[in-house]
Amino acid sequence: MLHSHFSRIFKAFALLILMLPGQSWAAPLSYDLKPQLIAEDTYLLQGRLEDFSRGNGGNIVNTAFIVTRDGVVVFDTGPSFRYGKAMRQAIAQVTDQPVLHVFNSHHHPDHFLGNQAFADGTIWALPDTGRLMAEQGGAFSDNMYRLVGDWMRATEMQLPNRPLQVDRLQVGEHRLRFFPMTGHTGADLVMLDETTGVLFAGDMVFYQRALTTPQTPGLAVWLRDLDAIAAIPHRLLVPGHGPAVPDGSAIGQMGDYLRWLDLTLRSAAERGMSMTELMKIPFDARFAEVALRRHEFIRTVAHLYPRYEEAVFQKQ
Ligand SMILES: [Zn+2]
């Protein structure tokens, strides 16, 4: 009787502690990365379909690695030094092989601020990606400190140390091919592992999560690149955000969404709609499963609508 009374009090107390705000002292900042085997020798660390927050530490991104007989290939390194270190630990749980090559898909912070944990290896990126990181990486990093706080502690930008100017590379038994594109940020790397048929699309493809547009050269450019991606023979596609898929559903959804965005912005501009009106328009039901669609649509309108208005103005 007495025991159950104390146990009730204890439970109530424990519950109260859990409900207290600002409980970061109670929760260690752990990314808890779980490598998911998605193809032979190939592992995915899938991020959440969310925006950056203090709850997720910026782990909203997909990173991946391939274990070859000569060493490990890493594709993207995550949003922070802490993530990069956690990724190295996750790799070490799978293999004793050293990390040989790291590839950064593009200069967005969630894809490369983990580089610091791989500074002893070769970090490749497209030359324009390296330039964009040097130009904008500091501001991105500051913003990440604001958005996710303590998770970023000790993170310093580590630029790539090897410009990617080849279109293929053999690592162990894996034949890698590289496709430089521009649709998402002006410099976007897509990598195919010909040995397994896994296509690492970076943020050229988002799936089940709305795409982001702050640096896109334009939706038409992105759509052209997407056609080129669809033409690369592959067995499994790994998007920058969202689940990996063995069929064309991710490219299909992405193309559908990009065309809808382009058409919606163009017709709104032709009708003289204001930016605030446009931000509130209803979504087509077929995008009901796309996470963060309203949030990203509002941002996209802010980024791109002036260009569409300008195009209408030029025609008049
Ligand atoms: Zn991106």
Side-chain angles (χ1 to χ4, degrees):
M1 182 68 194
L2 192 65
H3 173 259
S4 80
H5 180 67
F6 275 119
S7 123
R8 256 204 313 274
I9 290 175
F10 178 75
K11 275 184 196 151
F13 184 61
L15 195 66
L16 186 70
I17 286 179
L18 284 173
M19 283 159 48
L20 286 174
Q23 45 153 327
S24 59
W25 53 271
L29 301 179
S30 166
Y31 284 108
D32 194 24
L33 300 179
K34 297 215 167 53
Q36 191 187 325
L37 185 69
I38 53 167
E40 195 176 358
D41 307 329
T42 311
Y43 296 83
L44 171 65
L45 300 165
Q46 196 182 325
R48 299 192 201 172
L49 298 180
E50 297 172 2
D51 203 355
F52 300 122
S53 75
R54 281 164 199 260
N56 59 38
N59 181 16
I60 61 160
V61 62
N62 290 344
T63 63
F65 61 94
I66 306 165
V67 181
T68 81
R69 64 176 172 234
D70 286 353
V72 177
V73 173
V74 166
F75 192 80
D76 281 342
T77 60
S80 64
F81 186 27
R82 185 182 291 267
Y83 182 103
K85 286 188 284 187
M87 185 175 186
R88 276 202 99 132
Q89 282 169 7
I91 294 169
Q93 281 167 20
V94 170
T95 178
D96 295 332
Q97 292 279 31
V99 174
L100 284 185
H101 300 282
V102 174
F103 295 90
N104 290 146
S105 63
H106 64 296
H107 76 293
H108 279 162
D110 45 334
H111 296 262
F112 86 96
L113 286 179
N115 280 4
Q116 209 177 344
F118 298 93
D120 53 334
T122 305
I123 306 178
W124 302 77
L126 294 171
D128 279 344
T129 295
R131 180 181 55 78
L132 289 165
M133 284 172 180
E135 285 171 12
Q136 300 171 14
F140 280 147
S141 177
D142 289 350
N143 197 37
M144 289 296 286
Y145 271 89
R146 271 195 297 277
L147 293 169
V148 311
D150 271 357
W151 294 85
M152 298 298 293
R153 215 181 300 141
T155 301
E156 283 169 27
M157 181 167 59
Q158 172 75 44
L159 292 175
N161 50 32
R162 192 89 171 255
L164 182 64
Q165 285 163 319
V166 292
D167 64 359
R168 54 190 72 217
L169 186 72
Q170 177 94 27
V171 188
E173 70 279 40
H174 287 255
R175 294 185 313 276
L176 306 177
R177 279 188 67 190
F178 308 109
F179 302 87
M181 298 195 175
T182 58
H184 176 54
T185 61
D188 301 282
L189 175 65
V190 170
M191 180 176 95
L192 173 70
D193 182 346
E194 286 185 329
T195 308
T196 56
V198 178
L199 185 61
F200 301 90
D203 279 5
M204 288 301 301
V205 178
F206 287 69
Y207 186 46
Q208 306 294 46
R209 192 251 192 243
L211 58 95
T212 68
T213 52
Q215 279 85 30
T216 181
L219 302 182
V221 178
W222 201 336
L223 276 163
R224 268 201 304 278
D225 279 349
L226 198 63
D227 285 342
I229 293 173
I232 301 168
H234 61 277
R235 282 194 215 127
L236 185 75
L237 183 138
V238 178
H241 301 260
V245 281
D247 54 26
S249 51
I251 291 176
Q253 184 189 71
M254 186 72 193
D256 193 16
Y257 192 71
L258 278 170
R259 276 185 291 272
W260 176 82
L261 267 181
D262 186 44
L263 187 68
T264 301
L265 267 59
R266 191 170 335 120
S267 61
E270 280 163 2
R271 282 179 286 150
M273 203 181 258
S274 76
M275 212 181 246
T276 33
E277 281 174 302
L278 177 56
M279 284 170 177
K280 288 182 214 150
I281 61 144
F283 268 89
D284 197 291
R286 67 189 191 278
F287 302 124
E289 285 179 14
V290 178
L292 298 173
R293 58 195 177 280
R294 177 66 59 189
H295 173 75
E296 294 299 352
F297 179 69
I298 288 169
R299 295 179 65 206
T300 291
V301 170
H303 300 145
L304 301 182
Y305 195 48
R307 294 187 211 173
Y308 285 81
E309 289 180 309
E310 181 62 22
V312 169
F313 182 72
Q314 295 291 342
K315 265 195 262 170
Q316 286 164 351

